[in-house]
Amino acid sequence: MDIPLLDLRAQYAGLKDEIDGAVGEVLSQAAFIGGPRVKAIEEAVAECCGVSHGVACGNGTDALFLILANLGIGKGDEIITTPFTFVASAESIVHVGAVPVFVDIEPGTYNMDVGQLEAAVTERTKAIMPVHIFGQCVDMDPVREAAKRHGLAVIEDACQAIGATYRGVRAGALGDAAAFSFFPSKNLGCAGDGGMIVTDDAELAAKAKKMASHGTSKKYFHDAMGVNSRLDSLQAAILLEKLPHLDDWNAGRRAAAAVYDELLADSGLALPETRDFGEPVYHLYVVRSPDRDGIMAALKDAGIGTAVYYPRALHLQEVFGYLDYSEGDFPVVEAAQEEVFAIPLFPEITREQQERVAEVIAGATG
Ligand SMILES: *Cc1c(COP(=O)(O)O)cnc(C)c1O
């Protein structure tokens, strides 16, 4: 029994008629950019996380970039985030001319160690970018308190956390603005690239929307420098079919995580820790072991998908060499990158599949 890390075909099979119908409708209307479906998904995603504005764009990386650029963040400004994330978190900061400043993470949740924020703030700091890694929210109260004390913006990288909550509030509504990604493997994925900004800041939303469409004020009139970063109607149509299922899918992921928690309790693996301030959405179920390579090899031989998120932290990546970090700067991150790996988890995974994963792990560790 082969078990993929993520089974996108199972999800499509469950919604094939709806998705095919929606796609067919867009094709027959031949209106591919902008239009009512894009507006509808902007409103629906904003409503789903309890904020007033959604601005669709080309991908999650652009969503971060558009937020930073339109909050006036630029050359020489510093943004505090963690190095244990997908490259896009820091990439977006560099693309507005700003500097990513890293802090270490907590060992159990892999989220930003908020106790290190205060020491990372300088007179150049303009914002904090918490990344809700693997679908669990960062402890946001201390983040917002530090931001308030120093007059900083809070920009959520919520790309892995759509639907997650913190003290009853959804990711996306926990800072000044947030970025979502609709990359196919994300909890709400489209059939290609897609992303969205959500915010309660009407001015930021309007500016980001304009920038995402070539700085256009009126067709062929441009009063601001822009980029081309749009969500197309086909993707919007697919997302509109999928969004109503998001909460069920996330509940399915939580249920599957609880099954692993039980099946792997005595496996010797360190299991993901959850904090009781909210509900995570398990974008990934990440375990750790000093014998990662051996266990991953056994799983691979059994036809079971695994992957390492993330094998090299951002502060040690060649592209960020100019930031002058070195090995030893973030010991918790550096220990994690040697031991972590994700095992199959998706809403449709069966208990039988999970038992098989646990059995192979037991064989490899026993
Ligand atoms: C996926 C992801 C992004 C970027 O999203 P894209 O749509 O791939 O550009 C940014 N940050 C994190 C943490 C992500 O997981």
Side-chain angles (χ1 to χ4, degrees), residues 59-61 85-86 88-89 131 157 159-160 181 183 186 194:
N59 51 69
T61 312
T85 175
F86 182 55
S89 312
V131 182
D157 181 339
C159 289
Q160 300 187 1
S181 166
F183 186 80
K186 299 293 161 87

Side-chain angles (χ1 to χ4, degrees), residues 329-340:
D329 283 344
F330 304 107
V332 182
V333 165
E334 289 166 31
Q337 75 180 4
E338 304 305 323
E339 295 188 352
V340 291

